[in-house]
Amino acid sequence: MNKYVQSSFDLLSNIRFFNLSTHNPDADSVWSSTMFYIPQYNPLKLIWYSKQHTRHSQELKINPRVSGTIYSSQVLPDLSLDLAGSQFVGYARQVPDEQLQETYDYFFLKTFPDENVRKKNARPISDYQGNAERRFYELEIQAWWVYDSDAWSLHKDDDRVQVPLSELLVPPTLSE
């Protein structure tokens, strides 16, 4: 596995927040929100829940085309920067009620693997159905790039490397 694929899986497995950027062409405005997510593979998706009245949720109804980032950074003791990150584009949508049970089960199983903790912390599925205030959303990734620190240190013009989505179908822990 090459370092860009490994970096992608490291980010998806260890970072639980992503920045979602939506666009409302009618208002000629762009909005960015930070979301807690769970990755799903084959195809690569990010799953989260949010209140229906939020700006990003409303904008997804108008324009499902989105972009986003996942990153991790840390200033090291020698004042250098340890940075890993991805950028992506895709389409996001509200999960329809007929797919809700499967999405709900997957999201909370991955969020709270321990059954007792899950029972204590997961809201009932009715909190996400029909006209409930909260709904589940999924973002299907159409293109994915990762940050290349080597390119940055060599002062190249672009320090992003596109990773083929075909390389991100099955995380290493599931394929072994």
Side-chain angles (χ1 to χ4, degrees), residues 26-41:
D26 298 332
D28 194 28
S29 66
V30 179
W31 187 251
S32 183
S33 303
T34 302
M35 312 300 241
F36 175 83
Y37 78 96
I38 296 296
Q40 191 172 39
Y41 301 95

Side-chain angles (χ1 to χ4, degrees), residues 50-58 133 137:
S50 190
K51 293 181 179 179
Q52 290 193 70
H53 72 273
T54 60
R55 181 170 172 176
H56 58 270
S57 295
Q58 291 298 308
E133 182 179 22
Y137 295 84

Side-chain angles (χ1 to χ4, degrees), residues 43-88:
L44 180 56
K45 295 179 185 180
L46 306 182
I47 299 170
W48 75 95
Y49 67 83
S50 190
K51 293 181 179 179
Q52 290 193 70
H53 72 273
T54 60
R55 181 170 172 176
H56 58 270
S57 295
Q58 291 298 308
E59 288 185 356
L60 291 177
K61 292 178 186 177
I62 298 165
N63 181 10
R65 186 86 171 133
V66 299
S67 66
T69 60
I70 300 172
Y71 67 92
S72 171
S73 65
Q74 169 182 7
V75 177
L76 301 174
D78 64 0
L79 298 181
S80 62
L81 183 63
D82 180 21
L83 178 65
S86 67
Q87 293 175 254
F88 50 87

Side-chain angles (χ1 to χ4, degrees), residues 86-124:
S86 67
Q87 293 175 254
F88 50 87
V89 294
Y91 291 92
R93 70 180 184 129
Q94 190 177 89
V95 173
D97 278 348
E98 59 270 10
Q99 295 173 4
L100 180 60
Q101 186 69 58
E102 181 181 344
T103 301
Y104 173 90
D105 291 345
Y106 180 82
F107 182 88
F108 284 112
L109 176 65
K110 296 297 184 181
T111 303
F112 305 112
D114 181 274
E115 185 177 355
N116 293 324
V117 173
R118 187 170 51 252
K119 284 180 182 178
K120 241 178 19 179
N121 291 290
R123 295 172 172 273

Side-chain angles (χ1 to χ4, degrees), residues 3-4 7-8 11 70-72 81-87 144-153 158-163:
K3 71 178 186 175
Y4 305 115
S7 177
S8 298
L11 287 163
I70 300 172
Y71 67 92
S72 171
L81 183 63
D82 180 21
L83 178 65
S86 67
Q87 293 175 254
W144 178 273
W145 297 265
V146 292
Y147 170 73
D148 182 358
S149 59
D150 294 335
W152 182 82
S153 64
D158 193 355
D159 42 351
R160 293 171 297 168
V161 174
Q162 188 165 9
V163 177

